[in-house]
Amino acid sequence: SPRSRDDRADLLVARSRCTASGSLTRRSRQRVSVTPRALSSPSVGTATRDWRASGAFAVADEFLFASSQLILNLGLARWLSPVDYGAFTVAYAAFLLFGTAHTALLTEPLMVFGSSKYTNIFPGYLRLLVRGHVTGTGLAGALLVLGSVLLVRSAPALSTALFYLGFCGPLILLPWLLRRACYVRLLAHV
């Protein structure tokens, strides 16, 4: 039953806390029994509920993000001319390429080191990563704007798409970085 699964999860949390604190020896672990009153302690049940709520917000966030991208692409494919949608597709592919590099260089280290090595100085670490974001995406945006100026005569639709990507790309990638900072701090609902 669902209730017994919750009880078992709370029991495992209670046992792991006792084991981590050293209050259980090898012999006494075999005789440990947790009473229903111990399972109803606020700290054990609250931790499970907090984890579930945080997980639910994270899943909802990812679902809204992915579904909005799908709706946007379907709408653009329907409303734009083939040449304009082709230019959008090339610019979007460039954006995904830069987004992948951004994730590998900034977001993934934030997820790994922000929750372990730099947890005590997290605000300073986040400021450093935001500075890296501004520098890296500013340089990539400038290159995209320069490329759009060079393509203005040969491919005007592509030139326009790359020009706007050069300005909007850094602004789009910043929330990607800051969303993950909220996950590191377990504040997915912010």
Side-chain angles (χ1 to χ4, degrees):
S1 73
R3 179 69 181 150
S4 64
R5 272 190 239 138
D6 289 344
D7 291 345
R8 277 184 261 148
D10 291 341
L11 175 63
L12 289 174
V13 170
R15 282 188 180 169
S16 67
R17 285 183 183 165
C18 291
T19 305
S21 67
S23 62
L24 288 178
T25 62
R26 184 175 289 171
R27 279 189 202 164
S28 63
R29 271 188 229 139
Q30 296 170 354
R31 296 181 303 218
V32 169
S33 66
V34 178
T35 62
R37 187 174 63 184
L39 287 176
S40 66
S41 74
S43 64
V44 174
T46 305
T48 304
R49 280 191 299 276
D50 289 345
W51 180 82
R52 287 181 188 161
S54 180
F57 280 118
V59 168
D61 178 44
E62 290 297 325
F63 172 76
L64 289 173
F65 183 75
S67 61
S68 68
Q69 292 297 312
L70 175 69
I71 291 168
L72 175 72
N73 273 308
L74 290 176
L76 287 174
R78 178 145 175 90
W79 294 320
L80 293 177
S81 69
V83 171
D84 290 337
Y85 187 69
F88 166 76
T89 304
V90 170
Y92 190 63
F95 170 73
L96 290 178
L97 178 68
F98 290 122
T100 302
H102 182 269
T103 300
L105 295 174
L106 297 172
T107 306
E108 291 300 324
L110 169 71
M111 298 293 288
V112 173
F113 296 123
S115 62
S116 62
K117 189 174 182 179
Y118 300 116
T119 191
N120 294 333
I121 55 168
F122 186 75
Y125 181 61
L126 185 59
R127 275 192 296 275
L128 177 71
L129 290 177
V130 169
R131 278 190 218 122
H133 164 81
V134 169
T135 303
T137 58
L139 179 63
L143 289 174
L144 284 171
V145 169
L146 179 65
S148 73
V149 169
L150 296 175
L151 291 173
V152 76
R153 289 185 188 237
S154 62
L158 180 59
S159 173
T160 304
L162 291 177
F163 181 79
Y164 286 115
L165 178 62
F167 283 109
C168 296
L171 299 175
I172 294 170
L173 290 173
L174 182 62
W176 287 16
L177 177 66
L178 296 180
R179 271 182 42 218
R180 297 299 180 212
C182 291
Y183 289 138
V184 168
R185 303 300 282 185
L186 297 176
L187 299 171
H189 59 279
V190 173

